[in-house]
Amino acid sequence: MRHEDWMRHALDEAKQALILNEVPIGAVLVLKGRVLATAHNQKEHDQDPTAHAEILAIRRAAEAIGHWRLSDASLYVTLEPCPMCAGAIVQARIKHLVYGASDPKGGAVESVTKLLQNKLWNHKVEVTAGVLEEECAKLLKDFFRNKRV
């Protein structure tokens, strides 16, 4: 499958977050062409500040394979990860991060800070940005526009 196909799957997860009145962010963790885990934001639902889509997908994937090292996995997420999620991506040894929309207020990959590019980390993450960026951004913009009405 192509990056766009996996990102559409992440967008489907983000739409599930809407049902819970959560910020619509979705994630899909893939290993060798197979989905290991999917998740969407659940901070409000779980009353857990760490219940970001990326964190939940990483936890579920590690549980699925019985190991915390996700060395050959790719993580697809609809929004540029925050500092917490970027740190978890490094800690999980994820090989490739693919994200849709940039986050100019909280993005820790390229927008506000560049945590994944720190040369001191013992793990390097490949990054592909802007996959289905317009669709990912629109979902978020619409959500927040509706919140303000």
Side-chain angles (χ1 to χ4, degrees), residues 24-46:
I25 299 170
V28 176
L29 222 148
V30 177
L31 180 64
K32 297 178 183 172
R34 189 180 121 234
V35 174
L36 281 182
T38 62
H40 51 270
N41 272 15
Q42 291 184 217
K43 282 174 57 171
E44 298 298 331
H45 181 267
D46 294 355

Side-chain angles (χ1 to χ4, degrees), residues 116-128:
L116 299 183
Q117 295 178 18
N118 189 321
K119 292 179 182 8
L120 298 176
W121 300 142
N122 62 344
H123 177 70
K124 305 297 179 229
V125 179
E126 298 170 32
V127 176
T128 303

Side-chain angles (χ1 to χ4, degrees), residues 15 21 23 53-54 60 73 82 91:
K15 291 171 186 170
N21 201 29
V23 176
E54 302 95 319
R60 292 170 186 166
C82 71
Q91 290 299 313

